Amino acid sequence: MHAAVKNDPLIQKSTTPVRYYKKKEEIAKRKADVQTIGDSIKGLLKAYRLQGKLNEVDLVQRWEEIMGKPIALKTKELYFRDQKLFVRLTSAPLKHELNMSKSKVVELLNRTMGEEVVKEVVFL
């Protein structure tokens, strides 16, 4: 080394070694804060109160799977308003039959979804 470089305090090597790894305590602390992506998404949906709407959309998409193909073929329209499911049907006899068993339909829908998504069903 040149004499000028030897005496320059900025260029001289430091006596403390530089660490390129984290301490075990820091790693353990970070692991305690770690969440799975699924848990993070569930927390986000809960915070923004979107889970209910997501369940409603999922139920509408799974209508044929839940109720069966014959009922799905005679279903013209499905929509939600205030946890009430409105179902527009093309068959009057089917409408009458489903009106007679509303409570069973509500129970079937909620059981399939795993939580209370529908409080009432209105057949139109």
Side-chain angles (χ1 to χ4, degrees):
M1 253 195 241
H2 297 295
V5 173
K6 261 185 173 175
N7 295 332
D8 190 357
L10 296 175
I11 298 178
Q12 290 179 353
K13 292 184 177 182
S14 68
T15 56
T16 58
V18 177
R19 266 192 296 147
Y20 293 103
Y21 59 91
K22 296 195 182 276
K23 291 182 180 179
K24 288 182 181 179
E25 300 86 34
E26 291 175 18
I27 294 171
K29 182 181 174 189
R30 287 191 69 205
K31 283 185 180 179
D33 295 341
V34 174
Q35 284 186 341
T36 64
I37 292 174
D39 290 342
S40 298
I41 291 172
K42 285 178 185 174
L44 184 69
L45 291 173
K46 185 177 179 183
Y48 286 100
R49 294 182 282 166
L50 296 173
Q51 188 62 49
K53 289 289 182 190
L54 191 63
N55 287 339
E56 290 175 0
V57 170
D58 189 30
L59 188 140
V60 169
Q61 288 180 343
R62 295 174 58 189
W63 178 255
E64 181 180 339
E65 173 191 330
I66 297 168
M67 296 301 291
K69 194 162 187 104
I71 294 175
L73 288 172
K74 295 183 190 306
T75 301
K76 187 175 182 181
E77 182 182 12
L78 287 170
Y79 62 94
F80 273 93
R81 184 167 294 135
D82 300 326
Q83 287 190 315
K84 285 184 183 179
L85 176 63
F86 292 87
V87 182
R88 188 171 308 278
L89 299 167
T90 58
S91 169
L94 178 62
K95 176 183 169 184
H96 179 72
E97 189 176 326
L98 289 173
N99 265 323
M100 299 299 282
S101 58
K102 274 186 181 183
S103 61
K104 288 181 183 178
V105 172
V106 170
E107 187 210 332
L108 174 67
L109 294 172
N110 288 331
R111 188 169 16 108
T112 304
M113 295 304 293
E115 60 183 278
E116 187 179 31
V117 178
V118 180
K119 288 190 177 179
E120 186 181 340
V121 177
V122 179
F123 295 105
L124 306 171

